[in-house]
Amino acid sequence: MAALTGMARERGGWWHAYVCPVHGVELDHGDLLSGVFPAGGARCAHGCRVDDEAVRGAWTVLSHQAWARHLRVLAHRGKRAEAVAGLEEFAALYAELAADGHGEAQAWMLRGRMFHQALTDAIWAVNIGHAVITLAAEGTADLAPLGPFLDELERAASDARDVLTGRGQLASNYTAWLNAAGVAAGRAAAAVRGLEWDGAKRWLDGDQGLFAHLRVAVAEDGWEWEGSTYYHGFVLRAALLALRGTNPAQLPADVVDVLAAMTDVLATITTAGGILPALHDGPYARHPLALEWLELVSLAQQLVPSEPLVAVAERARRELGAADDGLDGLLGGWFAGPPLARRAPAAPVTVFGAAGYAVLRGAGIHALLDFGPHGGSHGHRDKLSLYLYGETTAWQPDPGQVPYAHAVFRDHYASTAAHPAFSADGGEQAECTGAPLAADAVSVTAEVTTAYEGVRAVRRVVLGDCYLVDLLTVSGERPHRFAAHLRPGTALDVQAQAGGPVRTTWYGEQTLHGWHTHTAGVPVRPAARPGPGPADDPQRMCTHVDFTAESERIVFASVYQASAAGPAVTAVRLDGEELTVELANGASARFGTEG
């Protein structure tokens, strides 16, 4: 069939291969709707041009996905002829590619037909299905030829889901998207034939369906089991896309609770300015990710209105500029019924016990303490990391992750050294789980005892009146070289003070001031050095700081104050197990290391 739209004619590969092998940054996409890989190779932001089979396959993934989204938008905007032509071309291409197998996919993948991964097939198929559903609402005479194509998409999703559930992987994030693809393709196939859709038992409330998946994939604290911001949103977005045309009031009560809790998780970890911390193994910052968050928030606001997520959407729109694909209008009226009741704002301290995160908000500081499970293949060796954000500034963020095909930087961003955590003898933490020890309205205390053999670490984080207190205690059965890490995502000044705390200043749209001291009588070396910044650009150097001491036990104490908060901190002293903080107005407060 002759190309009508300029679509690429090849099978998509693995999008994570779209990365510069030299610099670790995602390559520039070029014109994804052209169907033509960038002439001279894909551009790297640092000047490289990359052209090999894996990169071409990855670009084709991005191109096909962009075309599927584009067809969905064309259908919504009434560009029927163009949308139908594109769908017919995809149908022909799918038949051609599905016929000759997919042997070039990597062995670990759940293999797809249109792409190497069945997961990528499913994401693409969801957009295809919704484009057809939108067109069918205005008539079906020209859509009949698409019926067999949609049947094949549904069959492929079913086959892949059978493989997953046969392995006991109902909780996999793949399952969410395979169910969403089955719903979208099945609904679309019924619509073009003028039939009522009868697939709810198969794709929604059956024993392998979406509801069963959500019941096992989401913990009691509302987090998707992997504990990753990206994969949490990934699963929630698939679920909301699958529920097009559903009345929220008619969903099972426990499923409503899960969806609302998942939305609350995102609202709780979001800063007032709309920063969603990239906890654990998600892509840090990329144009398609902003598009995904905008889509998710647009849907979530129709299900469970949440004020913090409005800021996420506004931030995503700014990042996208004019290239938001018209999602807001397209997604309006997604559900056949009013939204659920607005949720109450999060408290100043929230502890997610299953995922192992604590969120503290006060006096212009948004802090997250990470103490929970490793998170499977998407986890990082980062126990007791403390992440610090302002309203719109990531002072000390979780650094995120590069596209997975870059093995060197992927290992770096999963490492202990990349995180504002602690280390012993310069080694890597084990893949382990910490535990909460105490929490109240202003503080959280957590410990980890299995990151290093014979080592116990306790971190207590407290909201003061106009500052944040961080008390990290590390001890062993023998002397170790213990280090507490600072890993800024912004410019940082570090100044040693004669006879007093080390001072730090963290810059950005908001400024943060820090005071850092430690157990008296234990020599501590504060060493600053250049290190890779967050994973959106590993070549951007930031100032890494390690406070290192040889000891059997040490307390590393820090106090942080946003520049807009006051009165100003004037003195910070650690006397044994007690930290004293004094303010310019004469007030003072004391904090114990473990409560």
Side-chain angles (χ1 to χ4, degrees), residues 422-519:
F422 77 97
S423 61
D425 302 318
E428 281 289 317
Q429 293 183 3
E431 297 179 4
C432 63
T433 300
L437 296 180
D440 56 32
V442 296
S443 71
V444 175
T445 306
E447 73 168 353
V448 61
T449 59
T450 52
Y452 301 96
E453 185 175 357
V455 172
R456 177 178 186 253
V458 177
R459 196 158 207 163
R460 183 174 186 233
V461 186
V462 188
L463 292 171
D465 289 341
C466 56
Y467 50 84
L468 185 80
V469 171
D470 169 34
L471 295 159
L472 173 62
T473 305
V474 193
S475 58
E477 299 168 351
R478 57 178 177 79
H480 291 271
R481 189 174 76 257
F482 293 128
H485 306 168
L486 301 182
R487 295 294 183 265
T490 63
L492 178 76
D493 285 342
V494 186
Q495 296 177 335
Q497 306 288 315
V502 172
R503 293 291 309 274
T504 54
T505 304
W506 311 61
Y507 298 98
E509 293 182 12
Q510 297 84 39
T511 301
L512 182 70
H513 301 284
W515 294 258
H516 311 273
T517 188
H518 57 273
T519 302

Side-chain angles (χ1 to χ4, degrees), residues 375-416:
S377 62
H378 294 140
H380 290 184
R381 298 178 292 279
D382 58 356
K383 290 299 143 291
L384 298 191
S385 286
L386 181 65
Y387 305 115
L388 302 171
Y389 298 82
E391 181 175 329
T392 57
T393 300
W395 290 311
Q396 181 162 260
D398 187 310
Q401 186 55 275
V402 297
Y404 295 162
H406 201 293
V408 173
F409 278 121
R410 186 183 185 191
D411 286 348
H412 166 75
Y413 284 108
S415 73
T416 303

Side-chain angles (χ1 to χ4, degrees), residues 557-579:
S558 299
V559 175
Y560 297 99
Q561 185 175 49
S563 59
V569 171
T570 56
V572 172
R573 296 188 307 277
L574 182 64
D575 302 309
E577 298 297 304
E578 191 171 73
L579 181 75

Side-chain angles (χ1 to χ4, degrees), residues 244-257:
R244 178 177 182 172
T246 301
N247 186 339
Q250 295 175 355
L251 290 170
D254 65 323
V255 172
V256 168
D257 289 343

